[in-house]
Amino acid sequence: MGKIDVHADDFGESLHASRDILDCLTAGKLDSISVLSNMSCFEQCVALYREREKDFPKRPLISVHLNFMEGSCLERPKRLPSLVDGQGHFSISWGKLFLSSWMPGRKKLKEQLKREMKLQIEKVRSAFPEMKALRIDSHQHTHMIPVVADALFEVLEENGWRAEYI
């Protein structure tokens, strides 16, 4: 029988949520966390993690929590016109992403997703170099949408990355 992994999503979404996740890690209640890299408080949250990690009874597994629903893009906004507004804030809905899997313009959208995914993955890996294996999930499970899944598999292949967990 497999081991149950007690997991928390959305580390980096807000300082408040991240502090709550850190409290759970310190109490030994979590095995893994998913990290959002595109929110404005990301660096502060990573700094809080580093301050408190010595108090964790066990090191959590870290997953990249891909996010195309909230916050700002890491790529230049002009390179992601199907995903963000002029200020770089994500403005596409889950439903539109889903429908785009079968609509004209799918290839253009997939290329934009790939650009942003690569940057989000690299940012989390840079902030958490102790990650032994690449683990990926997504905010609002967008990685399960066909065009997003296709983009993810291409990004992994093009960069020679092997994901232990998706």
Side-chain angles (χ1 to χ4, degrees), residues 31-59:
D31 300 306
S32 61
I33 63 172
S34 291
V35 180
L36 290 159
S37 62
N38 71 312
M39 303 303 273
S40 62
C41 62
F42 175 77
E43 283 78 13
Q44 289 175 280
C45 294
V46 171
L48 288 172
Y49 180 97
R50 295 297 174 210
E51 287 171 16
R52 297 200 38 200
E53 70 182 320
K54 67 187 176 311
D55 300 324
F56 302 162
K58 58 188 170 190
R59 181 171 298 280

Side-chain angles (χ1 to χ4, degrees), residues 10-154:
D10 298 344
F11 183 82
E13 182 175 39
S14 69
L15 287 172
H16 178 77
S18 297
R19 285 187 183 114
D20 287 347
I21 290 170
L22 291 170
D23 289 345
C24 290
L25 286 168
T26 301
K29 305 291 184 191
L30 295 174
D31 300 306
S32 61
I33 63 172
S34 291
V35 180
L36 290 159
S37 62
N38 71 312
M39 303 303 273
S40 62
C41 62
F42 175 77
E43 283 78 13
Q44 289 175 280
C45 294
V46 171
L48 288 172
Y49 180 97
R50 295 297 174 210
E51 287 171 16
R52 297 200 38 200
E53 70 182 320
K54 67 187 176 311
D55 300 324
F56 302 162
K58 58 188 170 190
R59 181 171 298 280
L61 296 172
I62 306 289
S63 297
V64 178
H65 200 53
L66 295 172
N67 182 13
F68 313 108
M69 300 285 98
E70 297 179 42
S72 299
C73 61
L74 300 181
E75 179 59 273
R76 293 186 317 268
K78 288 182 180 179
R79 297 196 72 199
L80 306 177
S82 301
L83 297 172
V84 301
D85 64 19
Q87 276 65 64
H89 303 291
F90 284 104
S91 60
I92 194 165
S93 68
W94 195 98
K96 186 169 182 183
L97 265 178
F98 181 76
L99 291 174
S100 295
S101 294
W102 296 278
M103 302 293 281
R106 179 187 199 280
K107 184 176 180 181
K108 183 175 119 180
L109 176 63
K110 184 174 69 168
E111 290 305 315
Q112 292 175 41
L113 287 162
K114 286 170 54 177
R115 286 186 201 113
E116 181 64 19
M117 277 179 193
K118 183 175 189 280
L119 293 174
Q120 289 186 23
I121 292 168
E122 288 174 339
K123 190 169 180 181
V124 173
R125 292 182 90 182
S126 177
F128 295 93
E130 68 273 18
M131 287 175 66
K132 295 196 182 337
L134 184 57
R135 297 168 51 93
I136 298 173
D137 58 26
S138 63
H139 201 51
Q140 299 181 13
H141 304 283
T142 53
H143 68 287
M144 301 300 292
I145 297 171
V147 69
V148 180
D150 290 347
L152 175 58
F153 293 133
E154 286 183 21

